[in-house]
Amino acid sequence: MNWKLWCLFGILFPALLGMGAWQLQRADEKKMALERFHDQIDQPPRDWMSFLNSPIDFAQVRLEGGFLDQDWLLDNQIEGGRFGYRVFTPFCLNTATHAPQDSKECVLVDRGWVAGNLDRNILPAIDRPEGNLILQGRADHISSSVILGESEPLVNSPYRVQQIEIGEVSEMAGVPLSSWILRLLPGQRGVYKQNWQPVVVGPEKHIGYAVQWFAMAIVLAGLVAWLQFKPEKAVMDS
């Protein structure tokens, strides 16, 4: 028995099966996320404070208040083959206008996508509506993004970052931010191109990836079996 071959098989085969199982799990997660999103499509908007009492992913919510005077640009966002940024701006509710600074009810708003300049020294000019605003959007959580560059010093707004961190934005804004964010709906004041989707990679792709991993596991098992028993067969034939 070729023990090196079986040791390699013992490492690779479970790993391939594990990757396939993980992709099936991701497919289930994406399927459930899409189901939650579609359940909320036709629901009327809820007041933000009532939403916080019974939060639901992707619920449509309504806020009244104003934007703070800083913007955040999430780097390396591609739309239609074009490089750009997603714009995030903190928004504080009117119900807390006269409250202490550290007790304001504020939320980070995803305002959509803007095109970038190939010259990295030139940032897009971000317009921000002032005064009292009524906004509608969908409640969501910040998702992780692929970090392709180094973090930059946070000097002047708009701040260009590789990853949106609620704690970091809260510290720079000087107000506590909800763990939820608001994905601004098209047609709202201050919105840019809103291309957000509840899932980027659909469940069917994850199922396809799972099939590939399981297929590689089967091929590996067949190859190891063939290599292990081929010499025996050769002796028998002779």
Side-chain angles (χ1 to χ4, degrees), residues 41-54:
I41 285 181
D42 297 324
Q43 297 299 318
R46 301 163 54 189
D47 176 78
W48 178 256
M49 299 306 295
S50 67
F51 160 78
L52 291 180
N53 292 330
S54 56

Side-chain angles (χ1 to χ4, degrees), residues 81-136:
R82 298 181 63 194
F83 157 76
Y85 306 91
R86 289 196 75 82
V87 181
F88 292 82
T89 306
F91 185 93
C92 289
L93 278 65
N94 277 347
T95 53
T97 300
H98 302 294
Q101 188 77 354
D102 60 356
S103 65
K104 285 187 176 182
E105 185 64 42
C106 304
V107 60
L108 190 60
V109 177
D110 170 12
R111 298 170 55 194
W113 181 90
V114 293
N117 194 301
L118 293 180
D119 184 346
R120 295 278 295 176
N121 294 315
I122 301 176
L123 294 177
I126 304 300
D127 295 325
R128 186 189 319 111
E130 297 182 353
N132 187 65
L133 303 170
I134 297 176
L135 301 179
Q136 289 188 21

Side-chain angles (χ1 to χ4, degrees), residues 87-223:
V87 181
F88 292 82
T89 306
F91 185 93
C92 289
L93 278 65
N94 277 347
T95 53
T97 300
H98 302 294
Q101 188 77 354
D102 60 356
S103 65
K104 285 187 176 182
E105 185 64 42
C106 304
V107 60
L108 190 60
V109 177
D110 170 12
R111 298 170 55 194
W113 181 90
V114 293
N117 194 301
L118 293 180
D119 184 346
R120 295 278 295 176
N121 294 315
I122 301 176
L123 294 177
I126 304 300
D127 295 325
R128 186 189 319 111
E130 297 182 353
N132 187 65
L133 303 170
I134 297 176
L135 301 179
Q136 289 188 21
R138 295 203 177 274
D140 193 16
H141 286 101
I142 276 290
S143 54
S144 299
S145 57
V146 177
I147 298 178
L148 299 178
E150 296 183 358
S151 299
E152 301 177 12
L154 303 179
V155 180
N156 296 309
S157 176
Y159 306 114
R160 177 168 54 196
V161 293
Q162 301 298 312
Q163 178 75 48
I164 294 292
E165 300 284 353
I166 293 291
E168 183 178 49
V169 179
S170 176
E171 181 179 353
M172 293 295 292
V175 295
L177 290 173
S178 171
S179 60
W180 292 86
I181 66 168
L182 185 77
R183 306 282 188 184
L184 206 57
L185 291 174
Q188 299 296 302
R189 293 281 304 278
V191 73
Y192 286 99
K193 185 173 184 179
Q194 193 53 281
N195 56 0
W196 171 82
Q197 296 293 330
V199 299
V200 177
V201 178
E204 64 284 347
K205 286 193 176 181
H206 285 289
I207 293 174
Y209 297 149
V211 170
Q212 292 177 7
W213 287 114
F214 290 139
M216 283 190 284
I218 293 172
V219 170
L220 176 65
L223 179 61

